[in-house]
Amino acid sequence: MTVSALTRPGERDRLIVKLSEIDWVFVLVLSLIAGAGALMLFSMAGSSWMPWAAAHLGRFALLLLVMIVLAVVDLRVWFAIAYPLYGFGLLLLVAVEAVGDVRLGAQRWLSIGPFSFQPSEVMKLGIVLALARLYHGVPAQRARLSWWLFVPATMIALPVLLVAHQPDLGTAMLIALTGAAIVVLAGLSWRLIAIFSVTAIAAVVPMITFVLHDYQRERIFTFLNPESDPSGSGYHILQSMIALGSGGLLGKGYGLGSQSQLNFLPEKQTDFAFAALAEEFGFLGCISILALYAAVIFMALRTAYLSHSHFGRLAASGATATFTLYVLINGAMVMGLAPVVGVPMPLLSYGGTVMVTVMAGFGLVQSVRVHRYAEVTSGKGSFV
Amino acid sequence: MTQPAIFFEEVNERQGVFHRRAILLGAFAGLGIAGMGSRLAYLQLLEAQRYEKLATSNQFNFKLMPAPRGLIVDRNGAILAANRPNFRLLVHRDKDLDTEATLKHLADYVPLDEARQRRLLKDINAAPKRAPVQVIEDMSWEQFSAIKLRGPELPGVTADMGEVRVYPHGGAFAHVIGYVAKVNKEDVAEAGPNRDPIMLHPSFRVGKQGVEKALDVDLRGKPGAKKVEVDANGREVREDPEGDIPATPGAEVQLTLDVDVQNRALDVFGEESGGAVMMDCRTGDILCMASAPSFDANRFVRGMTGAEYRALTGYERKPLLDKCLSGLYPPGSTFKTMTALAILTAGVSPEERVSCGGGMHFGGRFFHCHKRGGHGSQNLNDAIKNSCDTYFYAMSLRVGPDRIAEAARAFGLGQTFDIGIPGQKKGIVPDREWKKRYFKKNKEMQPWWPGENLSYAIGQGYLQVNALQLAVMTARLANGQKALNPRLIRSVGGKELPRGSDVADLPFPREHIDRVRAGMAAVTEVGGTAWRASQLGLGDITMAGKTGTAQVRNYDSGGSRGKGGAWHLRDHGLFVAYAPIVEPRYALAVIVQHGMGGSTAAAPRAREIMRTALLKDPEIVARVLKPMPMPELTPDRELDIVPEVSNVERPA
């Protein structure tokens, strides 16, 4: 039942065909990463399913289902909800400003009944869809260099500023970089890219001095010299590097990582899960996991590459960019190459919010794959 | 957007740009992941050893453990200071630990009444987190093992075995050996062995007095360390006995003291105050150095209450003062041995006689002899035997202070000896030079008045000595040849210290010393001052000696001769002795502070101490128990026993 461009119309809309079009190897790789995560969480808890490993696996299973459901959702539906979702996300961010819960000194959470969630996560998907939707009807020349570029720039800036104000620098940066990735993929002129990069780097120094909160500034300084204050704010980075390094080639063995088992490694089940894995499974274990991540990124990018619609391309590559940024930022942080920003390793770390974002993103990627031949138009006759 | 705004070429151009850029994004991601891989390779392959070390130092801590303190034994190996196991129960506070419930639970195994539980709870809550507080010590083995067994149900509870210094003989050796106690702030020094971190260990004890203090560093040994696995909060997770660093026990110190002699010496003092020092006349080893009354050194190890300490310091007879080394007394008539030597040195014939009529007029004063009726005509031997003051008064004027001081110094008075423990006082042996120095600011007092010779000759005046010096003096007299030095510490860690007999000879002719010794032997013969009080009851083995009664104040002001009244105004009783008279083995000095008479207070005590030492000496015992030879059976008419045959003939 392989589908091709020449497949009979209507055939592609059958559910069973759509399901067969999902990249099941991709699903397998995701499951392997999540399984490794559960394995680590089981070890972290002192060989116990509680409190993390079981929840991690259960959550992944549920979200895999959600991903498959999202994968069969018609790409035109994604197209149609792009702006509303973005608008809704913006509304939530404004709401969080007004009535959000303050947790750990930051106003990030919104409670609806018993549930609470971070609206900034909605925005991670919202910005991808909205920018893809925006660029879908834009000629190359305009996307390359024109005054029109202020539109996507504003669309990125609004949520970034709102999230940064919470303050959640990590997520704001992630949204900004994801948006920037789509703008670049859509064909931004290299000259502009260069100008923006230089401006951004030049802006970093005054940002650090004037805009950042004390704890954020401290994180950056200790990142630059973690051993300056090993028991204070440099502690996280140093302990993480000790966990990694002491793992050696083959690791200390499953359940035998002294850094993680004796709690020297902070946030071992979330932000520093990768370090815990590195300690117990060593260089070989790390390389294997990195290979799986590389495979996920490659397969997702390939899906974007093969999409016939510009919306599909940009949406899938945007979601991939988000995932890639998670991996690179967390990896750099754990290895002492970036300040501690609270970005977890997707699928490996314990934590629902990120997994929802990532799996929803992959639902979009798979939808792009399933509907790679679909005609997406913004004009009349569109799906909605 | 109501109309298609994009033309076909543009669609192609957009797609082409995206494809190129997507490949770039892929390359960027690949580069990032490769970068992570190389960073991992750097950390995990190249730097692995460094981080392994750091992880290990995170994971394991070494807890210092004090080494077992060295034993202190007597000359025969009997234990004078040892360590006994102390089973302690400690409780510490931690989050999510219910200390109150823990204490209640503990009360099932060890005696902990509710009042004590409340007090402990307060202590534990006041202590820093995870700092163990001692709940009970000296648990029985049963209690200890019961707690150990239930360890897992009792979080926050540790039962450990420490060591506590114990002095099995209580007070008998308290002044010589001293004691150990908790480390004070003053004990911790900036440099040297008292900078050692072990000083801060809660169960470490430091030597505070006597041998414990003087040889503290040798006795300490080298602390070991216990390897424990800890978590990030510093909680001990596991012990790793294989990684422990064993402690090196402290060196054993052997003293020259004899436990039986020392105990007997303290016994005979009873309630009296004073000191007794006994030396071996051949080697200089100190067999006994007892100061009475004493105190229980074990009390100091545990830590004393203020009331206990005040009771010790407030007592008139000063239990904490070492009367053998730190107590200075006028030697009284025991000093006449030295004066006699000086008299002989001055060329006076020992047979020259002085007539004693109960005293002597000199310089407008009458100097009494202790016998008011007078001794009659006295030569040197008589004068020592009767302790005739008049003889020595008269002779002192011919001898002068410098000769007396010379003899006294040659025999060990006025100096300290290197016996290894602190606290010795030098005392005073006066002469012309000394007086000039002593009254540096008071010119009028500087000259030596002839009248001062008189009191000097009978061991009064400025003269001050301690019991150890008197023992050395007697031992040198008894030895007759060598200027013996006292030795208290025989060996440290098996290494023997120099003997007291490896010294030069005395600068006095043997016949002079023998004259003095003959006088001392006469003291214990019929009619001598110590005749009754110094009979050993060991047959041929007899004791020679010299009594002394030293006045504490000037009697001229009236009142009795220090034989009654307030304790602190009474005379000191002294006795120096050696035995046996032939081939002497032991020399002894006994001072009974305010004991009133040398022959009544000091000599009987000296006799007891001497007997104990002699009866322990196999050589002496052999001499006492020597078989009486059978009389030769030569026919003797005077005998009752007549052969039967002759019996028949007798009527003829």
Side-chain angles (χ1 to χ4, degrees):
Chain A
M1 280 195 284
T2 17
V3 186
S4 75
L6 301 173
T7 310
R8 180 163 51 86
E11 174 73 16
R12 290 193 208 121
D13 293 336
R14 288 176 59 203
L15 185 64
I16 185 77
V17 177
K18 282 192 175 187
L19 285 178
S20 74
E21 279 302 299
I22 291 174
D23 189 346
W24 291 103
V25 177
F26 184 77
V27 171
L28 177 73
V29 174
L30 292 186
S31 306
L32 282 177
I33 298 176
L39 203 67
M40 281 324 296
L41 292 170
F42 183 80
S43 162
M44 289 304 88
S47 299
S48 163
W49 289 104
M50 305 306 280
W52 302 311
H56 185 76
L57 275 187
R59 202 178 280 154
F60 177 72
L62 189 75
L63 287 170
L64 202 61
L65 219 68
V66 170
M67 184 193 106
I68 290 165
V69 170
L70 291 179
V72 297
V73 168
D74 198 290
L75 197 59
R76 282 162 291 190
V77 175
W78 288 106
F79 187 82
I81 64 163
Y83 285 151
L85 189 73
Y86 176 80
F88 181 61
L90 269 189
L91 219 69
L92 287 179
L93 282 177
V94 174
V96 101
E97 240 353 70
V99 297
D101 299 343
V102 177
R103 290 192 196 172
L104 300 170
Q107 203 164 13
R108 299 177 186 173
W109 297 78
L110 209 57
S111 301
I112 299 168
F115 302 102
S116 59
F117 68 105
Q118 297 188 32
S120 53
E121 295 299 322
V122 175
M123 214 23 148
K124 282 180 191 159
L125 201 57
I127 191 78
V128 169
L129 283 173
L131 286 176
R133 166 81 172 82
L134 181 71
Y135 274 103
H136 182 71
V138 170
Q141 185 52 43
R142 216 189 280 173
R144 204 178 74 79
L145 186 66
S146 68
W147 289 110
W148 174 83
L149 283 170
F150 273 106
V151 179
T154 313
M155 282 172 71
I156 296 168
L158 276 177
V160 166
L161 289 175
L162 281 169
V163 172
H165 189 248
Q166 286 178 355
D168 185 351
L169 209 67
T171 308
M173 196 170 71
L174 213 65
I175 294 172
L177 287 174
T178 304
I182 295 174
V183 172
V184 169
L185 284 165
L188 187 68
S189 112
W190 283 113
R191 203 178 302 162
L192 266 186
I193 294 173
I195 290 170
F196 270 118
S197 307
V198 170
T199 320
I201 291 166
V204 162
V205 177
M207 271 264 284
I208 288 173
T209 346
F210 299 116
V211 183
L212 291 188
H213 287 253
D214 281 345
Y215 81 97
Q216 293 167 331
R217 204 173 305 149
E218 202 175 309
R219 276 179 186 179
I220 288 169
F221 286 133
T222 52
F223 146 68
L224 293 173
N225 184 12
E227 275 157 57
S228 67
D229 183 15
S231 59
S233 40
Y235 183 80
H236 289 49
I237 290 176
L238 193 64
Q239 293 303 332
S240 174
M241 283 165 71
I242 291 174
L244 279 170
S246 64
L249 178 66
L250 297 171
K252 292 177 184 169
Y254 185 56
L256 299 175
S258 64
Q259 286 289 102
S260 49
Q261 302 288 348
L262 298 173
N263 291 328
F264 289 104
L265 191 62
E267 310 283 335
K268 58 183 182 183
Q269 78 279 17
T270 55
D271 290 1
F272 289 93
F274 186 78
L277 179 134
E279 187 185 20
E280 296 196 349
F281 293 107
F283 182 66
L284 290 185
C286 289
I287 290 296
S288 313
I289 285 287
L290 285 185
L292 292 178
Y293 278 115
V296 167
I297 293 164
F298 173 75
M299 284 188 273
L301 268 184
R302 188 163 172 275
T303 300
Y305 197 88
L306 295 178
S307 172
H308 282 201
S309 64
H310 203 52
F311 172 72
R313 278 176 209 133
L314 291 177
S317 56
T320 311
T322 309
F323 181 79
T324 308
L325 285 168
Y326 267 122
V327 174
L328 291 184
I329 292 175
N330 180 269
M333 171 184 91
V334 162
M335 294 172 199
L337 297 173
V340 178
V341 279
V343 172
M345 193 59 118
L347 301 180
L348 197 73
S349 295
Y350 181 78
T353 318
V354 176
M355 203 188 261
V356 170
T357 310
V358 166
M359 292 304 279
F362 287 146
L364 173 60
V365 170
Q366 287 308 306
S367 177
V368 168
R369 181 185 157 88
V370 170
H371 304 98
R372 58 186 177 275
Y373 304 118
E375 285 283 325
V376 181
T377 59
S378 54
K380 279 178 186 154
S382 65
F383 187 80
V384 178
Chain B
M1 296 196 190
T2 49
Q3 54 181 22
I6 301 171
F7 297 98
F8 193 68
E9 329 70 88
E10 283 182 325
V11 171
N12 276 348
E13 189 190 343
R14 266 187 349 179
Q15 191 177 359
V17 169
F18 175 81
H19 281 173
R20 288 196 300 274
R21 297 267 167 112
I23 288 167
L24 272 176
L25 176 63
F28 173 75
L31 211 70
I33 288 183
M36 280 166 70
S38 49
R39 173 73 172 170
L40 280 172
Y42 170 74
L43 289 175
Q44 298 193 293
L45 303 180
L46 295 178
E47 295 274 273
Q49 279 190 324
R50 185 179 149 223
Y51 287 111
E52 255 164 53
K53 250 183 232 158
L54 287 170
T56 310
S57 74
N58 266 346
Q59 186 182 3
F60 295 106
N61 272 355
F62 282 94
K63 282 200 326 189
L64 274 180
M65 303 302 273
R69 202 170 167 86
L71 299 179
I72 301 177
V73 298
D74 89 338
R75 63 175 178 148
N76 298 315
I79 283 171
L80 306 179
N83 309 302
R84 70 174 162 76
N86 178 19
F87 298 112
R88 301 180 306 168
L89 191 58
L90 307 156
V91 172
H92 65 83
R93 169 170 77 87
D94 209 338
K95 62 175 179 206
D96 29 274
L97 279 188
D98 184 355
T99 315
E100 204 175 343
T102 305
L103 287 174
K104 274 220 175 71
H105 197 164
L106 280 176
D108 296 343
Y109 310 111
V110 292
L112 268 186
D113 57 42
E114 294 214 348
R116 195 163 158 68
Q117 284 181 36
R118 271 197 302 278
R119 230 182 6 257
L120 281 167
L121 192 64
K122 213 184 280 170
D123 288 352
I124 293 166
N125 287 333
K129 211 164 123 194
R130 278 194 296 284
V133 171
Q134 183 169 299
V135 168
I136 198 164
E137 68 173 343
D138 276 331
M139 286 191 292
S140 68
W141 168 250
E142 285 75 22
Q143 289 169 334
F144 176 73
S145 43
I147 301 280
K148 268 283 187 205
L149 210 65
R150 287 169 185 80
E153 326 163 13
L154 293 164
V157 174
T158 18
D160 73 354
M161 200 193 79
E163 280 193 328
V164 150
R165 195 65 157 170
V166 62
Y167 304 104
H169 296 284
F173 295 89
H175 297 101
V176 177
I177 291 181
Y179 51 87
V180 295
K182 283 195 176 118
V183 178
N184 282 342
K185 263 190 218 120
E186 300 84 63
D187 294 327
V188 184
E190 290 290 317
N194 282 356
R195 227 184 104 245
D196 199 307
I198 192 71
M199 297 286 287
L200 303 174
H201 193 280
S203 68
F204 183 77
R205 296 287 181 275
V206 69
K208 295 277 192 181
Q209 289 286 330
V211 175
E212 293 274 30
K213 180 176 187 169
L215 296 176
D216 193 43
V217 174
D218 298 283
L219 287 165
R220 260 185 221 175
K222 235 181 98 197
K226 197 172 193 155
K227 193 177 177 190
V228 287
E229 194 175 339
V230 294
D231 72 4
N233 295 315
R235 277 190 213 112
E236 282 171 35
V237 180
R238 208 165 54 83
E239 287 181 0
D240 184 3
E242 280 173 33
D244 289 356
I245 300 166
T248 312
E252 183 177 292
V253 172
Q254 185 171 37
L255 304 183
T256 58
L257 296 180
D258 186 295
V259 67
D260 296 319
V261 181
Q262 179 90 0
N263 275 326
R264 186 74 187 126
L266 198 70
D267 264 4
V268 297
F269 269 95
E271 291 290 300
E272 290 292 344
S273 168
V277 179
M278 177 182 273
M279 276 172 66
D280 187 310
C281 309
R282 292 183 192 161
T283 63
D285 283 359
I286 301 172
L287 270 77
C288 153
M289 190 152 79
S291 172
S294 192
F295 58 93
D296 185 358
N298 293 303
R299 309 289 315 172
F300 278 89
V301 180
R302 281 266 183 93
M304 255 186 204
T305 62
E308 274 180 299
Y309 190 72
R310 278 193 297 279
L312 279 177
T313 48
Y315 185 37
E316 186 183 30
R317 302 194 178 183
K318 295 197 166 45
L320 295 180
L321 179 79
D322 185 350
K323 282 151 196 131
C324 299
L325 301 181
S326 310
L328 289 175
Y329 308 91
S333 302
T334 58
F335 188 70
K336 284 173 185 162
T337 51
M338 295 297 101
T339 315
L341 264 181
I343 291 166
L344 293 170
T345 311
V348 176
S349 161
E351 295 308 327
E352 202 174 322
R353 288 181 173 272
V354 172
S355 176
C356 168
M360 187 178 134
H361 281 285
F362 185 78
R365 258 183 74 190
F366 186 71
F367 286 81
H368 282 289
C369 181
H370 69 88
K371 191 173 180 185
R372 295 295 158 108
H375 287 103
S377 170
Q378 300 279 303
N379 65 8
L380 180 74
N381 201 66
D382 299 335
I384 295 175
K385 176 179 177 177
N386 300 320
S387 200
C388 176
D389 295 328
T390 313
Y391 176 88
F392 287 98
Y393 291 151
M395 289 300 180
S396 70
L397 295 170
R398 290 166 60 180
V399 173
D402 294 347
R403 279 208 191 86
I404 299 177
E406 194 189 330
R409 290 195 185 113
F411 277 76
L413 304 185
Q415 68 179 84
T416 58
F417 299 96
D418 179 20
I419 58 169
I421 62 171
Q424 284 181 66
K425 286 219 172 122
K426 247 171 114 166
I428 297 165
V429 173
D431 56 15
R432 289 195 172 89
E433 186 56 39
W434 172 85
K435 207 177 172 203
K436 224 176 266 171
R437 254 184 294 121
Y438 187 74
F439 293 104
K440 207 187 282 174
K441 298 214 175 108
N442 193 344
K443 273 234 148 57
E444 277 177 38
M445 292 293 286
Q446 282 182 2
W448 185 271
W449 310 113
E452 288 173 325
N453 287 332
L454 276 66
S455 47
Y456 195 6
I458 62 161
Q460 297 278 168
Y462 298 112
L463 188 63
Q464 289 211 303
V465 300
N466 64 31
L468 176 66
Q469 290 168 349
L470 282 182
V472 170
M473 176 190 91
T474 316
R476 287 181 181 180
L477 279 171
N479 183 286
Q481 185 192 350
K482 294 219 171 274
L484 286 179
N485 273 328
R487 180 171 76 161
L488 178 66
I489 294 156
R490 186 192 178 113
S491 65
V492 176
K495 233 182 85 188
E496 192 172 349
L497 271 62
R499 288 159 190 268
S501 53
D502 301 338
V503 288
D505 287 353
L506 288 163
F508 289 93
R510 180 68 196 225
E511 56 270 29
H512 289 182
I513 294 172
D514 282 342
R515 285 281 178 185
V516 177
R517 284 167 53 158
M520 289 174 77
V523 168
T524 61
E525 284 164 9
V526 182
T529 51
W531 168 47
R532 282 194 189 79
S534 57
Q535 297 309 307
L536 293 170
L538 296 177
D540 292 353
I541 308 296
T542 50
M543 179 165 80
K546 181 71 198 84
T547 54
T549 303
Q551 61 187 60
V552 176
R553 64 196 167 110
N554 199 341
Y555 305 131
D556 290 347
S557 55
S560 65
R561 280 216 50 189
K563 299 292 177 197
W567 179 76
H568 70 276
L569 297 176
R570 293 178 194 169
D571 292 341
H572 300 308
L574 297 95
F575 192 65
V576 298
Y578 65 86
I581 289 176
V582 185
E583 293 175 46
R585 290 289 292 118
Y586 304 109
L588 171 67
V590 173
I591 298 176
V592 182
Q593 203 182 8
H594 308 298
M596 294 194 287
S599 56
T600 51
R605 292 192 164 88
R607 177 176 63 185
E608 270 312 303
I609 300 167
M610 188 61 91
R611 269 175 61 88
T612 310
L614 290 170
L615 287 173
K616 238 198 137 176
D617 187 332
E619 188 189 314
I620 302 291
V621 170
R623 273 164 72 177
V624 173
L625 299 179
K626 70 169 181 242
M628 293 283 198
M630 287 292 287
E632 272 183 55
L633 285 177
T634 45
D636 190 340
R637 260 172 230 169
E638 301 292 320
L639 284 174
D640 297 337
I641 308 156
V642 183
E644 259 176 78
V645 183
S646 358
N647 205 12
V648 180
E649 289 172 8
R650 190 174 263 187

